Amino acid sequence: MAQKKFVLAMALAILACTLFGMNSAVTGGNMVKLTNDSTVDFFSDWSPDGAKIAFISNRSGNWDVWVMDSDGCNKVQLTNLGMSNNPKWSPDGTKIAFTSDRSGNWDVWVMNSDGSNQVQLTTSPALDFFNSWSPDGTKIAFTSNRTGNKDIWVMNSDGSNKVQLTANPADDSGPVWNSFGEKLAFDSIRSGNWDVWVMDCDGTNITRLTTDEGVDCFPAWSPDGTKIAFVSDRSGNRDIWVMDSDGSDKVQLTTDGTFLGRASWSPDGKKIAFSALLKGDDTMNIWVMDSDGSDRVRLTTGKEGDFNPQWSPDGKKIAYNSDANIYVITLEEEITPTPTTTATPPSGGGEAPVTTPAPTPTAIIATPAINVTSSPPVTPTVSPAVTPVVHVTPSTTPTPTATSTTPSPAGKIPGFEAIIAILVLLVVAYILRLKIVK
């Protein structure tokens, strides 16, 4: 009997070693499908407290703004007039700004976070597209062609005091604030080539940060405002680069694939999430790397194409789009890096196809053309009527599947807790063995 106890204890120790070794460190935790509908849902924005997600859906037969809990429960339709696009929460979480054509023209609107009190902020007969809130929530930056070409404007969050910040004959678009609200980075073709520019929030001190002949676009500020990540094709591929906020010290972070859209910084600024179609892969997947380009990790292995990753405010989750639905993956504390080449200094784009809501109830794939001279690059969340675009109507309707939790690929590095558990079981086994000997 004692011998059986000893064998049982040793078996438990071996089992614990195996289990803890498999699960203590993973490339990503649980992957959860938040929407499960035969229509199309597109992730747009986390609420500042991480409790809600705003998204666009045509489940009502029209492109509308919806909100759901971050676990996918309690889906609520907030808009029901015209087409709506690009909803973004205000920094305090009380408002949602968005673009809508309900007035017969694309304009910037704002509403309470529960959908009440919907107010039209722009009324020009031209096209006005919402871009971003200022960090303190008092201002809204938007793009407008009311002067004949696309320029960057700023207004108070109630729609008053509209100020034109750029007035170049070339197109300017995609303004994003730094975390202090002092600067705006944006895309412009005023140099004859798409480049990243920056200016003070009042439109002064406009400075060109990139000067390469390739296409440089989609600036993304680091949380501390010291760095700007951007997409460039200067190396021959569409890769992610990073530079100091004054344009110096440009470093290429990725080198081996076609990368999709704007880089997404983690809230602590230590990591960057992105979508990538690597050489040899059939579809795009979500990846995370350190902010210097090292320790790259594949988080998804989907077959439908995964894109538009966005960090939760606490940095523990990443929401993204796949197969016309919204998913969230919970990250583990330890992330096993995928061996890759380290970041290389510059030697001397554009964006891969993005499926986003369009003014008509079809999927839209937006691809900034390389070496274009007349159309602005398309931002990851595409404002309506932005060119160049290629309209694609899916030939099949996504098949609904039960909402499920799927573990992502796991590493096999034992953690501290695993070692402690194994030691405890081994001690128990040793004590039982002593009893056998006696």
Side-chain angles (χ1 to χ4, degrees), residues 154-432:
V154 165
M155 61 183 166
N156 293 337
S157 59
D158 63 359
S160 63
N161 193 29
K162 295 176 180 66
V163 178
Q164 183 177 357
L165 300 188
T166 64
N168 193 278
D171 286 343
D172 303 317
S173 64
V176 288
W177 304 80
N178 70 353
S179 56
F180 305 106
E182 302 167 340
K183 301 278 187 180
L184 283 163
F186 61 99
D187 299 310
S188 179
I189 200 171
R190 61 179 63 199
S191 64
N193 188 60
W194 283 110
D195 283 301
V196 176
W197 293 67
V198 71
M199 62 183 167
D200 292 345
C201 63
D202 61 359
T204 60
N205 297 322
I206 298 177
T207 305
R208 182 182 179 185
L209 299 187
T210 61
T211 57
D212 191 85
E213 293 182 358
V215 172
D216 302 315
C217 55
F218 311 129
W221 294 92
S222 62
D224 64 3
T226 62
K227 301 283 186 180
I228 296 177
F230 63 101
V231 175
S232 176
D233 71 347
R234 62 180 65 193
S235 66
N237 293 321
R238 301 172 187 178
D239 284 304
I240 295 176
W241 291 63
V242 72
M243 61 184 165
D244 291 346
S245 60
D246 62 0
S248 63
D249 194 24
K250 295 177 179 67
V251 177
Q252 184 176 353
L253 301 188
T254 62
T255 60
D256 56 352
T258 300
F259 293 88
L260 168 66
R262 194 185 302 270
S264 179
W265 292 85
S266 61
D268 62 6
K270 295 180 179 180
K271 295 188 179 293
I272 293 175
F274 59 97
S275 302
L277 178 61
L278 296 185
K279 295 173 182 176
D281 284 353
D282 295 326
T283 58
M284 297 180 211
N285 287 291
I286 306 299
W287 293 73
V288 168
M289 62 184 170
D290 288 350
S291 59
D292 63 359
S294 63
D295 292 346
R296 193 169 66 196
V297 178
R298 184 199 296 264
L299 296 184
T300 67
T301 55
K303 302 299 183 183
E304 301 295 331
D306 307 324
F307 61 97
N308 191 28
Q310 297 292 331
W311 296 83
S312 61
D314 61 7
K316 295 180 179 180
K317 298 179 180 180
I318 291 178
Y320 64 96
N321 289 113
S322 183
D323 67 16
N325 279 287
I326 301 168
Y327 291 74
V328 165
I329 186 167
T330 301
L331 304 177
E332 300 292 345
E333 290 186 2
E334 295 180 85
I335 297 180
T336 305
T338 300
T340 183
T341 54
T342 57
T344 56
S347 57
E351 185 178 18
V354 184
T355 306
T356 58
T360 56
T362 60
I364 182 171
I365 294 180
T367 307
I370 302 301
N371 298 324
V372 294
T373 58
S374 61
S375 300
V378 183
T379 53
T381 304
V382 181
S383 297
V386 178
T387 56
V389 297
V390 179
H391 295 272
V392 177
T393 302
S395 57
T396 58
T397 302
T399 303
T401 56
T403 302
S404 61
T405 301
T406 306
S408 64
K412 298 186 179 182
I413 301 175
F416 178 77
E417 296 83 359
I419 295 173
I420 295 299
I422 293 167
L423 288 175
V424 170
L425 289 174
L426 287 175
V427 169
V428 172
Y430 181 74
I431 293 173
L432 290 174

Side-chain angles (χ1 to χ4, degrees), residues 15-30 332-334 407-415 418:
L15 178 61
C17 182
T18 302
L19 292 176
F20 281 108
M22 288 176 61
N23 296 306
S24 60
V26 294
T27 58
N30 290 329
E332 300 292 345
E333 290 186 2
E334 295 180 85
S408 64
K412 298 186 179 182
I413 301 175

Side-chain angles (χ1 to χ4, degrees), residues 143-153 164 166-172:
T143 301
S144 177
N145 68 351
R146 60 182 65 192
T147 60
N149 59 280
K150 294 183 178 68
D151 284 306
I152 295 170
W153 291 66
Q164 183 177 357
T166 64
N168 193 278
D171 286 343
D172 303 317

